[in-house]
Amino acid sequence: MLVAITSTCDTLDALVNEKFGRCQYFLIVDPYTMKFEAVPNPAEQAQGGAGPKAAEVIINKGVNVLLTGHVGDKAEQALKTGNIKVVDGLSGNVKVKDALNNYLSNLKRD
Amino acid sequence: MVISIASGKGGTGKTTVACGLASVINESVYIDCDVEEPNGHLLLKPGILKEEPSYKLIPKINYESCDFCNKCAEVCEFNALLNLKSEIYLIDELCHSCGACTYFCPQKAITEANKENGKIRIGETSNNILFYDAYLKVGEASAAPLIKKVKNAYKGNKTVIIDSPPGTSCSMLESVKDSDFCVLVTESTPFGFNDLKLAINVLRQIKIPYGIVINKYDENYYLLDEYIQKNKLNLLLKIPFRMDIAESYSKGELLTETIKDYRIMMLELLEKIKTEIVEKEYV
């Protein structure tokens, strides 16, 4: 399983970015090994269609779950096509690490 | 003769001036190109004779020849095509029908198909103004294809008044680009002034002659007058900021019918525009 988190910087200690399409980085983490890859978002400065473009990037990276604050309509359609589970509603004042741990511990409880 | 009415800023009174002009011309055609929020019908009150769907072209991918080379997604300036490696995913609301993907596809795997993007309405008012407007479908990101359609819906040689959408982007360009003359409506505020400068820049680049109408004119705001004088711009008309005009407008009345001197102002404006166009043609 791969989890992508929208982030403001390229480390796990960075703060979460609430915006999906216009975030600076996607941190793509393998929760079993905690190894991660920081992918800069090519759509950050896009004129339009940033959300779908960002979706394309993480779909092609083989991500299964996305943790973010908010996903727009068009991006949501695209993510659905790519079979990515979206967990939204994260707030921008938590660290990526904490958001990830929180998600994983919730998973274990279920 | 095609006269377009534009302004950088929304809410300056484009529609009021456009409807006013249309109503003082014999046998005119009014085309509302503000397809995102058309409001000319509120003032002109036309009887709608026909309503027809409008279509735009969107790419259609033939997966038998597509090899997911990513070229189409690469050339799409609007991020409407996503290469998901197992599928080329199209977000048709974002497509501007530019045709780049079809043109550049190395496998020739893309053809173009029709998709409904709005409705065009055709009508006529009680004083013989032919009326055209269009409604963009909710969720559509690009207005330009529909504007092109509604502009080309009228074929003939009557005087055409084009009511352009606000701003200085694609939609405004699409609306004004084939006109003989453009009337820029502005207002006596810093916002109106700033956006006027932007709009003038656009018109200079596409080489369309223009003149300025100051709506809601306020002599206390001297920067605008100064700028117009200094740059020797073509000031056509000043419409005063008056209570009776505002009142009549807020009731949705056609000002040329309810306020006498407004009608005279519009006639004067029309005369000035006519001389401008003639001058241009004989130069």
Side-chain angles (χ1 to χ4, degrees):
Chain A
M1 183 172 84
L2 282 178
V3 183
I5 305 156
T6 52
S7 163
T8 48
C9 201
D10 56 357
T11 65
L12 286 179
D13 284 316
L15 289 178
V16 165
N17 194 329
E18 288 175 33
K19 293 172 220 143
F20 169 64
R22 306 245 178 228
C23 68
Q24 287 83 358
Y25 284 94
F26 294 107
L27 296 191
I28 299 179
V29 190
D30 180 349
Y32 297 107
T33 58
M34 284 309 264
K35 273 189 185 157
F36 72 95
E37 182 190 0
V39 182
N41 179 7
E44 189 197 344
Q45 306 287 346
Q47 270 193 12
K53 189 79 197 163
E56 182 193 55
V57 174
I58 63 168
I59 290 169
N60 288 334
K61 287 278 176 191
V63 167
N64 308 92
V65 181
L66 168 70
L67 306 185
T68 185
H70 175 73
V71 177
D73 281 356
K74 297 187 182 86
E76 198 182 329
Q77 286 172 36
L79 289 167
K80 204 180 251 175
T81 319
N83 285 323
I84 291 187
K85 187 185 169 196
V86 178
V87 179
D88 57 2
L90 289 190
S91 93
N93 50 26
V94 276
K95 285 183 179 172
V96 169
K97 198 164 60 179
D98 299 337
L100 182 67
N101 284 334
N102 192 15
Y103 171 71
L104 293 174
S105 58
N106 278 342
L107 266 190
K108 277 167 201 156
R109 220 174 292 150
D110 294 340
Chain B
M1 180 161 77
V2 181
I3 304 168
S4 56
I5 318 288
S7 90
K9 183 183 168 296
T12 45
K14 282 179 297 298
T15 303
T16 329
V17 172
C19 293
L21 263 183
S23 67
V24 294
I25 302 171
N26 254 343
E27 301 239 302
S28 61
V29 182
Y30 171 88
I31 302 178
D32 198 343
C33 283
D34 190 356
V35 299
E36 284 169 81
E37 40 232 345
N39 52 4
H41 62 280
L42 297 175
L43 297 179
L44 288 174
K45 303 183 183 66
I48 300 297
L49 306 170
K50 217 162 81 178
E51 186 177 305
E52 50 191 34
S54 145
Y55 299 93
K56 72 171 184 184
L57 290 172
I58 55 167
K60 202 177 158 219
I61 288 121
N62 175 9
Y63 288 106
E64 271 166 27
S65 36
C66 176
D67 61 355
F68 302 99
C69 69
N70 204 31
K71 192 76 198 173
C72 52
E74 211 175 274
V75 296
C76 183
E77 191 61 29
F78 310 103
N79 291 333
L81 284 166
L82 307 179
N83 180 4
L84 305 183
K85 302 293 187 267
S86 58
E87 181 185 355
I88 302 290
Y89 187 70
L90 170 72
I91 298 160
D92 48 26
E93 290 93 346
L94 293 177
C95 177
H96 283 222
S97 313
C98 69
C101 49
T102 318
Y103 183 80
F104 284 108
C105 179
Q107 306 297 328
K108 300 275 165 266
I110 303 182
T111 49
E112 290 180 320
N114 271 330
K115 190 223 164 195
E116 189 179 332
N117 67 338
K119 282 194 162 57
I120 293 181
R121 300 195 307 174
I122 303 168
E124 201 173 2
T125 67
S126 51
N127 39 9
N128 291 331
I129 304 172
L130 268 180
F131 176 92
Y132 290 82
D133 74 353
Y135 280 87
L136 193 67
K137 239 185 171 175
V138 174
E140 281 294 330
S142 99
L146 185 59
I147 292 174
K148 200 179 259 172
K149 276 270 163 61
V150 70
K151 252 178 80 182
N152 296 335
Y154 171 74
K155 286 186 180 62
N157 42 19
K158 290 180 183 173
T159 305
V160 177
I161 304 287
I162 289 177
D163 193 355
S164 143
T168 46
S169 60
C170 302
S171 356
M172 178 260 193
L173 263 171
E174 188 63 56
S175 315
V176 302
K177 76 176 181 198
D178 304 311
S179 39
D180 298 308
F181 190 80
C182 182
V183 178
L184 285 176
V185 183
T186 185
E187 57 179 27
S188 300
T189 62
F191 306 109
F193 181 36
N194 174 62
D195 292 357
L196 174 72
K197 286 190 266 185
L198 297 177
I200 288 175
N201 242 327
V202 171
L203 292 176
R204 276 194 186 144
Q205 284 183 31
I206 55 175
K207 298 197 174 65
I208 287 180
Y210 60 90
I212 295 165
V213 170
I214 308 179
N215 196 16
K216 305 177 236 175
Y217 179 67
D218 176 7
E219 55 185 15
N220 293 323
Y221 186 71
Y222 57 90
L223 287 172
L224 184 60
D225 295 81
E226 250 180 37
Y227 180 80
I228 290 173
Q229 269 179 13
K230 212 173 114 195
N231 293 288
K232 298 196 181 68
L233 299 178
N234 183 7
L235 180 63
L236 300 168
L237 178 68
K238 291 172 182 171
I239 303 172
F241 197 9
R242 251 176 29 203
M243 197 61 186
D244 56 338
I245 294 180
E247 221 167 76
S248 177
Y249 168 79
S250 68
K251 286 180 199 152
E253 292 165 347
L254 195 54
L255 295 174
T256 44
E257 280 169 4
T258 53
I259 296 173
K260 219 179 193 174
D261 55 342
Y262 197 86
R263 191 181 173 82
I264 297 167
M265 281 188 245
M266 284 298 132
L267 284 167
E268 272 174 18
L269 176 61
L270 181 65
E271 283 312 309
K272 281 190 180 163
I273 293 171
K274 272 185 182 161
T275 55
E276 289 290 329
I277 292 179
V278 170
E279 269 172 24
K280 176 200 143 204
E281 277 171 0
Y282 288 98
V283 159

